[in-house]
Amino acid sequence: MQRGGKGKTPRRPALKKATNVEKDPVGVYCRIRPICAEDEECCVEMISSSTIQLHAPDGLKANRNGEYKETQYSFKRVFGINTNQTELFEDVAKPLVEDLIRCKNGLLFTYGVTGSGKTYTMTGSPGEGGLLPRCLDMLFNSIGPFQAKRFVFKPDDKNGIEIQSQVDALLERQKRDSQQSVPKTPSSRQKADPEFADMISPEEACKCESVDEDCCYSVFVSYIEIYNNYIYDLLEDAPFDPIRPKPPQSKILREDQNHTMYVAGCTEVEVKSTEEAFEVFWKGQKKRRIANTQLNRESSRSHSVFTVKLAQAPLDADGDHILQDKSQVNASQLCLVDLAGSERTSRTRAEGSRLREAGNINQSLMTLRTCIEALRENQMYGTNKMVPYRDSKVTHLFKNYFDGEGKVRMIVCVNPKAEDYEETVLVMRFAEMTQEVEVARPVDRPIYGLAAGRRQRNQAFKDELSRRLEERGGPSNADDPVLLNQLIDSLPALPPCELVDPADDQTLPRLIEVLERRQHIRQMITKQVNQTANTLKSMLQQFDSQLSAKETFLHDQRSKLSEKDKVILNQKSEIERLEKKSKTLEYKIDILQKTTGMYEQDKRSLQQELEGREQMLQKELAERRRMEQRMQGMVTDTKYKWEKECERRVNAKQLEMQNKLWVKDEKLKQLKAIVTENSSGGSHPAEPPPKPERPSRERDRNGPQERSASPTPRPDLSQTPLSQNRVNVRAVQDRPPTSTPSSLSSYPSVASCVSDWEQKFPVDSVSQSRYPGTPRGTSRAPAPWHGASSEGRRRDAGTRTVPPVRPRHRRSRSAGGEKWVDHKPSSNLDLDTVMQPIIPNAIKVSTPNEKALSKCHKYVLRHQELASDGEIETKLIKGDVFKTRGGGQAVQFTDIETLKQECPAAPSRKRRSGSEEGPAQIEDVENRAPAGGLSSSSGYQKRRKP
């Protein structure tokens, strides 16, 4: 047995629309704004009454080939720069007002770039009223005589209209009048606003002829704005708290029982005239958000929606009162939308709140384009793509119009300036795509089944009754039932007139008696009336005589009054002119106050930013002072450290020079002993020379000398130990002989003695220099000298060979066939040396990276540091590159090569391990060829501590 599937929540069945519903495309009109300057370049050209042509301005290439590309766009109608507001209203808005009176909804919105004339088209200016005031004027001219009294129609806060009786409406009117806190609705009997009166001239006024006279009408208006994708009510009278002012609260969108979107909690004001409606509009216009930008001095920063709702209900069968049936009440609305202009922040240079406003405006307009594209795709290709109405408040509010709830009209405003060419092209593409969207045509709604002409018949009956009563001389209010009832009650009552028997002779006589009495009373009343009439006639004649005298007096007074009236008319015209000027100045003051407020806000934000930057600057200055103090401390510490180091090196050098001097003195004494021994004879063994005494170190024991601020000067080369040794040897060789010539011939010379002594006590200076790890075997006292012949000594001196100085040559590993990563930091100095570490087939980098390491097998780092003798020493730290388990590269260091540059004339600062050097070693070091650079794989040498 198969188990049933899990049940799902059933979807709400969609409203099925008839397939044979007639559809009309969205009416798109184009209006071209006049150019401000005559010499300004224009990029829009009007070809015909329905076509315009766009051409790229000079300096702008429209395609990749560099040629100018001209495009044409068609509309339902194009209005040129000479089109006035009346022509635009006759073609675009007048049909929508006629449909509004016929219970059909309508939507009219303006679209375009910032500064293209959208607000002017919708609102207008003094002397040139826009679409909004003309729509209101036409509506009230059409339904003016048929309007219901106030509060007969009442909104139910659910996008519906309730109907009240005359008594309830009267009570509510009295209640509103008694409440002083509630602002009263302006009366239509007040004098017209001079600024609004100049917008529409009496010659331009129009009305709808097909108005149902058997209905009563009432007009409700509301005004909202959509700012930063939030809805605000511009007509809401929120209480102002000066201590803690609250920002206006945003409204939400809801759906009524007919699936129509509306703004919940929006204020709807009942108006009875054009002036009253425009006054309400002007009240909300002052609250609308506008700002000064680079492209427009008064740029709209929000989308404004002015809704005109017309409620109508039929009269009863008598044509006297409204039919008390809510189902027979119909409400239609006309939405006049002024969309904010799209703009590029690169041109407006918007920042802060202006930048956020521009982003929200462009986002809402982009959502509108997306919805239009989805509707067009669904209608043209039969797809069922979801239309994203909910992505923006503008599209969500008007989605019913695009789904077939009324006519949709769009006016595309174009600024032909060359700077707006790119934005104008995007607007034209959107308009061209919008014309391809079709909206269902609204049908007429049947209201009731009562006979037509009820109001006219009822009015004709009242007029005829009044005329007859006036002819009879009775009061015009003779049809008052109270007076008729009093008159009937004053007459005798009629007896019962039922005849139960043909022979009854009592009923008729009684009835005749009552009727005679009533006739007598009537004659008395008539006689009294005639007497009263005669009295009135005599009084009237008397009054006529008096009236003639009064009329002559009045004629004189009227002549005077006419003169006064002329003065009053002149004063009234002057007052109207001043009122108009005052209104204009008030509007300018409001704009300037808003602009001043925005400037003050910007000033506060800039001051806050300046204070923040000043704090950061103070903080950086304090940090800099701390850094300078720290650096000064480090400099002082380093200076003291180097002074100690210099003092230590001076002491060490002095000690070394003393040791060398002591060694030389000892050698001279030995030489002197040898010479003395040779001169005295070789029969008896030579006594060892006395051990020379080392110089006293009183100065060393006295403590450290006073430290000098200047560096130690370079020692003189003539005073080096090697030079002193040469001088001493020359002094011994050049010393005059003290013995006789005979003794000189029998004994060898001093040079031969020195040569024999060097052969007996050789010092392998070459091996020591080649192998620095081998300790030097030097002795302080020479070995005893055994005599030999001069010929043998010469033979030994001639056959003795000194090994050549051959520094160890070690081929660098970098000269192989491996691929190396040559890491040379940017801080290294280029030394002007002959031998340079040149590595062939290497990738040179200043910072090692994984890409370079993955291509090579070897790695070398050039490291420079300051050696103990003050020269720059370069070390080549080498290693092998291998891959890790994680897929990366690692380096294992294996060897270090040291490159060092030395000056052969400068004394070596390295202290030798021995304290005595022989003459042969000195001569060997003297005769060695200088090396430009030495290569060694040994580590660091230890520095002797002071």
Side-chain angles (χ1 to χ4, degrees):
M1 181 177 180
Q2 186 177 2
R3 185 177 179 181
K6 184 178 180 180
K8 297 182 179 180
T9 304
R11 296 181 60 185
R12 184 176 63 180
L15 297 177
K16 295 184 179 180
K17 298 183 179 179
T19 56
N20 57 352
V21 175
E22 297 182 359
K23 293 185 177 181
D24 295 326
V26 176
V28 181
Y29 301 84
C30 179
R31 185 178 190 182
I32 304 175
R33 174 181 175 172
I35 299 179
C36 299
E38 296 180 357
D39 56 346
E40 192 172 2
E41 185 180 1
C42 179
C43 64
V44 179
E45 182 181 358
M46 183 175 175
I47 303 299
S48 64
S49 61
S50 61
T51 307
I52 65 172
Q53 181 175 349
L54 268 68
H55 55 85
D58 296 339
L60 180 64
K61 296 181 179 179
N63 53 10
R64 296 180 180 178
N65 298 330
E67 300 175 356
Y68 293 110
K69 184 178 179 181
E70 298 179 351
T71 55
Q72 293 184 358
Y73 299 93
S74 299
F75 298 91
K76 194 170 184 180
R77 184 174 176 183
V78 178
F79 300 94
I81 59 177
N82 297 324
T83 304
N84 54 23
Q85 301 279 43
T86 305
E87 296 178 10
L88 184 67
F89 171 75
E90 290 287 339
D91 290 344
V92 180
K94 186 176 180 179
L96 295 179
V97 179
E98 294 176 352
D99 290 342
L100 177 67
I101 298 175
R102 299 190 187 99
C103 300
K104 298 178 183 178
N105 297 332
L107 172 63
L108 174 62
F109 62 94
T110 56
Y111 182 84
V113 187
T114 297
S116 58
K118 300 182 298 300
T119 304
Y120 173 78
T121 300
M122 185 61 67
T123 307
S125 62
E128 287 290 334
L131 298 180
L132 189 145
R134 293 180 185 274
C135 290
L136 293 173
D137 185 65
M138 178 180 175
L139 178 61
F140 284 104
N141 290 340
S142 302
I143 66 170
F146 314 118
Q147 291 191 68
K149 294 183 179 181
R150 295 184 186 276
F151 305 115
V152 173
F153 294 96
K154 182 181 179 182
D156 60 353
D157 296 334
K158 295 181 181 179
N159 204 30
I161 299 295
E162 295 179 349
I163 188 169
Q164 298 185 126
S165 62
Q166 296 289 343
V167 178
D168 295 337
L170 179 60
L171 292 176
E172 189 165 354
R173 284 197 298 271
Q174 294 177 353
K175 180 180 179 182
R176 291 296 179 93
D177 293 338
S178 62
Q179 292 179 357
Q180 299 296 332
S181 59
V182 179
K184 298 181 180 180
T185 305
S187 176
S188 60
R189 297 180 181 179
Q190 293 180 356
K191 191 173 183 180
D193 188 356
E195 185 172 357
F196 176 76
D198 292 343
M199 281 191 171
I200 304 174
S201 60
E203 294 80 10
E204 297 176 353
C206 61
K207 60 183 296 186
C208 180
E209 302 297 337
S210 59
V211 179
D212 189 0
E213 298 180 357
D214 295 329
C215 290
C216 283
Y217 302 90
S218 186
V219 180
F220 297 88
V221 295
S222 61
Y223 197 14
I224 64 171
E225 70 170 351
I226 301 176
Y227 176 73
N228 288 341
N229 208 23
Y230 289 97
I231 300 177
Y232 297 98
D233 186 5
L234 297 178
L235 302 180
E236 184 178 11
D237 292 329
F240 178 72
D241 189 359
I243 299 177
R244 298 181 63 183
K246 296 181 180 179
Q249 299 295 324
S250 60
K251 305 296 181 180
I252 61 175
L253 292 177
R254 289 184 178 176
E255 190 176 15
D256 61 3
Q257 59 182 0
N258 298 325
H259 307 288
T260 302
M261 304 306 301
Y262 71 98
V263 181
C266 180
T267 304
E268 294 182 352
V269 181
E270 185 178 6
V271 291
K272 293 300 180 182
S273 65
T274 309
E275 294 79 6
E276 186 179 342
F278 192 81
E279 186 176 353
V280 173
F281 165 77
W282 196 252
K283 173 185 175 183
Q285 185 72 7
K286 292 180 180 179
K287 296 182 180 179
R288 189 181 176 189
R289 290 174 173 86
I290 60 175
N292 184 11
T293 63
Q294 294 289 335
L295 300 181
N296 194 354
R297 188 171 63 89
E298 297 179 6
S299 176
S300 301
R301 312 308 295 169
S302 62
H303 309 295
S304 65
V305 182
F306 187 80
T307 305
V308 181
K309 182 180 290 187
L310 179 63
Q312 52 183 318
L315 297 173
D316 55 8
D318 297 334
D320 193 12
H321 301 286
I322 301 176
L323 189 63
Q324 298 292 321
D325 187 1
K326 186 178 179 180
S327 61
Q328 296 296 332
V329 178
N330 283 327
S332 56
Q333 63 183 11
L334 173 62
C335 295
L336 304 175
V337 184
D338 181 13
L339 295 177
S342 59
E343 60 187 25
R344 292 189 177 182
T345 55
S346 59
R347 293 185 58 196
T348 59
R349 300 176 183 177
E351 297 179 356
S353 59
R354 300 286 87 79
L355 181 62
R356 184 173 64 256
E357 292 168 358
N360 289 313
I361 290 171
N362 295 336
Q363 181 64 31
S364 60
L365 296 179
M366 183 61 67
T367 305
L368 178 61
R369 296 178 186 176
T370 305
C371 295
I372 294 296
E373 288 179 359
L375 285 172
R376 172 176 169 270
E377 184 177 351
N378 292 340
Q379 293 177 4
M380 294 183 64
Y381 303 107
T383 59
N384 194 16
K385 188 177 181 180
M386 186 186 69
V387 183
Y389 289 118
R390 293 180 177 269
D391 292 350
S392 175
K393 291 293 192 300
V394 177
T395 55
H396 195 195
L397 179 61
F398 300 122
K399 80 180 190 66
N400 303 101
Y401 291 94
F402 294 103
D403 289 342
E405 291 293 335
K407 290 185 178 180
V408 180
R409 296 288 182 269
M410 181 175 73
I411 300 177
V412 177
C413 298
V414 179
N415 193 347
K417 290 195 308 183
E419 291 82 359
D420 294 344
Y421 172 76
E422 297 181 356
E423 289 87 348
T424 304
V425 171
L426 298 177
V427 171
M428 293 296 105
R429 292 176 183 173
F430 172 69
E432 187 177 26
M433 177 183 59
T434 306
Q435 293 183 103
E436 299 178 358
V437 176
E438 295 182 350
V439 179
R441 182 184 302 173
V443 297
D444 296 332
R445 302 177 185 177
I447 302 178
Y448 45 82
L450 301 176
R454 300 183 302 278
R455 183 191 292 270
Q456 189 175 2
R457 290 197 300 269
N458 186 25
Q459 188 66 31
F461 173 74
K462 290 182 179 180
D463 295 341
E464 182 66 20
L465 183 60
S466 303
R467 186 183 62 82
R468 290 185 179 182
L469 289 175
E470 290 178 359
E471 289 178 355
R472 293 180 180 180
S476 59
N477 58 352
D479 55 349
D480 192 353
V482 178
L483 297 177
L484 294 177
N485 293 332
Q486 291 179 359
L487 182 61
I488 293 173
D489 293 339
S490 63
L491 298 175
L494 295 177
C497 301
E498 295 181 1
L499 297 176
V500 296
D501 190 2
D504 189 0
D505 55 354
Q506 296 180 358
T507 303
L508 291 177
R510 194 164 49 246
L511 181 59
I512 293 171
E513 183 182 359
V514 173
L515 291 176
E516 288 177 353
R517 242 185 312 165
R518 292 175 70 115
Q519 180 65 22
H520 180 68
I521 294 174
R522 183 177 180 182
Q523 290 176 358
M524 291 176 61
I525 293 174
T526 305
K527 184 178 179 181
Q528 186 177 1
V529 169
N530 291 332
Q531 291 177 358
T532 306
N534 293 330
T535 305
L536 288 175
K537 286 180 181 181
S538 61
M539 293 176 65
L540 287 175
Q541 290 175 1
Q542 185 179 0
F543 287 152
D544 288 338
S545 62
Q546 296 177 359
L547 184 61
S548 60
K550 296 292 185 183
E551 284 179 352
T552 57
F553 177 77
L554 288 176
H555 181 70
D556 297 336
Q557 296 296 328
R558 283 172 182 172
S559 61
K560 296 179 181 179
L561 186 61
S562 60
E563 296 177 356
K564 299 294 183 182
D565 289 339
K566 291 180 181 180
V567 176
I568 292 174
L569 289 176
N570 295 332
Q571 293 180 354
K572 286 183 178 179
S573 60
E574 183 67 19
I575 291 173
E576 290 177 357
R577 186 183 66 81
L578 294 176
E579 287 179 352
K580 177 182 176 181
K581 186 176 180 180
S582 176
K583 287 285 186 180
T584 306
L585 293 177
E586 286 179 358
Y587 176 73
K588 291 182 179 179
I589 289 172
D590 292 338
I591 297 299
L592 292 176
Q593 287 179 352
K594 289 185 179 180
T595 307
T596 305
M598 291 185 294
Y599 285 158
E600 289 179 353
Q601 184 177 3
D602 295 340
K603 180 181 177 182
R604 287 193 295 269
S605 61
L606 291 176
Q607 286 179 351
Q608 293 177 0
E609 183 178 1
L610 181 60
E611 291 176 357
R613 293 190 177 182
E614 287 180 353
Q615 292 178 0
M616 292 178 61
L617 183 59
Q618 294 295 334
K619 189 181 296 183
E620 290 178 358
L621 289 176
E623 185 67 23
R624 184 175 178 180
R625 294 193 193 97
R626 289 196 297 270
M627 184 62 69
E628 288 178 355
Q629 294 175 0
R630 190 184 308 166
M631 293 302 296
Q632 288 179 358
M634 292 177 64
V635 167
T636 305
D637 295 340
T638 307
K639 182 178 179 181
Y640 179 75
K641 179 180 178 182
W642 278 107
E643 287 178 354
K644 296 289 291 182
E645 179 68 19
C646 292
E647 183 179 357
R648 185 189 63 78
R649 291 185 182 184
V650 168
N651 295 333
K653 196 66 178 179
Q654 289 178 354
L655 182 61
E656 183 181 357
M657 297 298 293
Q658 290 176 2
N659 291 336
K660 288 183 179 181
L661 185 60
W662 180 79
V663 171
K664 290 177 182 179
D665 292 342
E666 187 177 359
K667 288 181 180 180
L668 289 176
K669 289 179 181 181
Q670 290 178 2
L671 288 175
K672 185 177 180 181
I674 293 171
V675 172
T676 305
E677 183 181 359
N678 291 333
S679 62
S680 62
S683 59
H684 56 86
E687 295 181 1
K691 186 176 181 180
E693 296 181 359
R694 296 190 65 177
S696 174
R697 292 192 179 182
E698 292 294 334
R699 184 178 62 182
D700 298 339
R701 288 194 295 269
N702 291 335
Q705 297 179 357
E706 185 178 358
R707 188 171 53 193
S708 176
S710 61
T712 305
R714 179 173 294 184
D716 190 3
L717 296 178
S718 63
Q719 301 300 327
T720 58
L722 185 58
S723 301
Q724 293 177 2
N725 193 9
R726 289 178 184 175
V727 172
N728 296 332
V729 172
R730 289 193 188 100
V732 174
Q733 291 178 356
D734 298 339
R735 182 179 300 174
T738 56
S739 59
T740 60
S742 58
S743 63
L744 293 173
S745 62
S746 61
Y747 291 101
S749 62
V750 177
S752 61
C753 293
V754 173
S755 177
D756 294 340
W757 187 81
E758 288 178 352
Q759 290 180 4
K760 291 181 180 181
F761 303 99
V763 180
D764 194 358
S765 61
V766 177
S767 61
Q768 290 180 3
S769 62
R770 290 180 58 188
Y771 304 99
T774 306
R776 297 181 181 181
T778 59
S779 175
R780 293 184 179 271
W785 176 74
H786 301 281
S789 64
S790 60
E791 292 81 3
R793 286 196 299 271
R794 294 192 188 98
R795 191 185 307 113
D796 294 339
T799 58
R800 184 173 59 89
T801 59
V802 179
V805 179
R806 296 178 182 176
R808 182 177 58 174
H809 176 70
R810 179 173 177 267
R811 181 175 177 84
S812 176
R813 294 183 180 178
S814 61
E818 299 88 353
K819 199 167 184 179
W820 289 75
V821 175
D822 189 0
H823 179 194
K824 182 179 180 181
S826 57
S827 60
N828 282 13
L829 302 176
D830 292 334
L831 303 179
D832 190 13
T833 59
V834 176
M835 298 180 65
Q836 293 286 345
I838 301 175
I839 305 176
N841 196 17
I843 300 176
K844 296 183 179 181
V845 295
S846 60
T847 303
N849 50 37
E850 187 176 357
K851 182 177 180 181
L853 292 174
S854 62
K855 297 181 180 179
C856 302
H857 305 86
K858 300 290 186 177
Y859 171 84
V860 59
L861 169 63
R862 303 189 183 191
H863 173 67
Q864 290 184 349
E865 64 180 6
L866 194 66
S868 60
D869 55 356
E871 300 293 340
I872 297 179
E873 185 179 40
T874 305
K875 293 187 178 181
L876 304 180
I877 305 174
K878 300 184 293 184
D880 297 332
V881 181
F882 61 92
K883 295 184 178 180
T884 60
R885 292 184 179 180
Q889 307 294 331
V891 178
Q892 182 179 5
F893 296 103
T894 58
D895 195 6
I896 299 177
E897 292 185 9
T898 305
L899 307 179
K900 184 177 179 183
Q901 184 179 6
E902 296 180 352
C903 181
S908 176
R909 297 185 180 181
K910 185 185 299 183
R911 187 159 185 180
R912 307 186 186 281
S913 59
S915 61
E916 183 181 358
E917 294 180 356
Q921 185 179 1
I922 295 174
E923 293 295 333
D924 193 12
V925 173
E926 261 186 344
N927 299 328
R928 181 183 299 180
L934 300 178
S935 176
S936 174
S937 60
S938 61
Y940 299 97
Q941 296 181 358
K942 296 184 179 180
R943 182 182 298 172
R944 181 177 179 181
K945 297 183 180 180

